[in-house]
């Protein structure tokens, strides 16, 4: 499995680094069965995160035709107080410190990213994945209507408003769409993807290496509907 993890201006570093390290370690443990790279919609470039201006480098352009996994992170920035809204021109220009998260996500949608993600969604050999607000990027691009997905608990209502069946779970598996909740769920998401695609022994070896145990039940649209809870 080859994994492409997307960078865009204002991305959340932990949304990227947590699954990157898990998948990279899984590749080492499996003798190369997993490979991972950082990409962007524009191609090779330095990309500024939303956390203190931390910079990571995208090594290539996102290739929606390449079989494997494509992962979209969320953004890091201001949540804002209830009723607080950004300035009308806040979406203009380049990344600035402490911008609103919806502004950062919206700006990512003004690039070639939605077109590339749509091509990936339509590729039967690609599994789309997202951590935290990355699910909102996919949803706001019109790619998740009628699907089941997780996001940060503060974004569940927004996700639901786009026509997605928003699920309050750590990881949600909807077949060729696998999503995680808050930022640290990138660890759980990465480990689950290793288990699903490579096997539980590899996933367990990485858990032991990282001294981390996966949290929560992976939610699927299967089985009886719970009653009386």
């Amino acid at each position: 499995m080859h994994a492409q993890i997307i960078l865009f201006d204002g991305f959340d570093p932990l949304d990227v680094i947590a699954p990157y390290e898990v998948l990279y370690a899984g590749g080492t443990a499996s003798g190369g069965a997993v490979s991972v790279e950082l990409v962007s919609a524009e191609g090779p470039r330095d990309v500024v995160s939303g956390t203190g201006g931390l910079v990571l480098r995208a090594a290539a352009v996102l290739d929606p035709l390449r079989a494997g996994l494509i992962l979209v992170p969320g953004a890091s920035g201001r949540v804002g107080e209830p009723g607080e809204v950004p300035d009308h021109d806040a979406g203009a220009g380049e990344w600035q410190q402490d911008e609103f998260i919806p502004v950062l996500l919206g700006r990512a949608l003004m690039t070639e990213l939605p077109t590339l993600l749509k091509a990936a969604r339509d590729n039967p050999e690609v599994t789309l994945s997202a951590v935290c607000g990355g699910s909102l990027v996919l949803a706001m691009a019109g790619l998740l209507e009628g699907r089941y997905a997780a996001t940060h608990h503060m974004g569940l209502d927004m996700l639901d408003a786009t026509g997605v069946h928003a699920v309050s779970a750590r990881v949600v598996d909807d077949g060729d769409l696998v999503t995680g909740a808050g930022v640290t769920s990138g660890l759980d998401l990465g480990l689950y993807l290793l288990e699903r695609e490579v096997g539980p022994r590899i996933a367990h070896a990485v858990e032991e290496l990282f001294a981390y145990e996966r949290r929560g039940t992976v939610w699927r649209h299967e089985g009886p509907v719970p009653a009386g809870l």
Side-chain angles (χ1 to χ4, degrees), residues 10-228:
F11 70 91
D12 188 304
L14 191 55
D15 288 4
V16 172
I17 293 300
Y20 182 96
E21 286 214 38
V22 168
L23 295 172
Y24 184 87
T28 301
S30 63
V34 181
S35 56
V36 58
E37 66 177 337
L38 302 181
V39 300
S40 78
E42 299 80 18
R45 69 182 183 99
D46 291 337
V47 187
V48 183
S49 79
T51 302
L54 177 69
V55 175
L56 294 179
R57 181 160 183 81
V61 66
L62 171 62
D63 182 359
L65 302 181
R66 184 167 184 177
L69 175 75
I70 292 176
L71 187 147
V72 187
S76 175
R78 291 180 63 196
V79 175
E81 299 297 328
E84 185 181 8
V85 296
D87 296 334
H88 70 279
D89 59 349
E94 297 181 353
W95 172 89
Q96 300 177 33
Q97 186 75 36
D98 294 328
E99 286 192 283
F100 281 83
I101 289 175
V103 170
L104 296 169
L105 297 178
R107 186 177 297 142
L109 294 171
M110 298 172 67
T111 69
E112 289 298 310
L113 186 56
T115 300
L116 294 171
L117 289 173
K118 183 180 185 303
R121 192 271 315 267
D122 294 341
N123 184 348
E125 296 185 318
V126 167
T127 295
L128 281 179
S129 187
V131 180
C132 200
S135 296
L136 291 170
V137 172
L138 292 168
M140 291 188 294
L143 303 179
L144 298 189
E145 187 172 357
R147 302 299 299 269
Y148 294 88
T151 191
H152 191 281
H153 63 88
M154 297 184 71
L156 286 171
D157 288 344
M158 184 182 298
L159 187 63
D160 189 71
T162 66
V164 178
H165 299 294
V167 182
S168 180
R170 189 78 171 166
V171 175
V172 172
D173 182 344
D174 195 32
D176 59 358
L177 172 69
V178 186
T179 53
V183 288
T184 58
S185 68
L187 289 166
D188 304 275
L189 180 69
L191 287 164
Y192 173 67
L193 288 166
L194 280 183
E195 179 185 359
R196 193 179 93 155
E197 302 297 331
V198 187
R201 295 175 68 179
I202 297 299
H204 182 255
V206 175
E207 277 189 336
E208 287 196 313
L209 176 65
F210 285 13
Y212 177 81
E213 294 184 4
R214 275 165 46 191
R215 294 173 52 195
T217 299
V218 176
W219 189 97
R220 302 180 188 85
H221 187 52
E222 300 173 0
V225 177

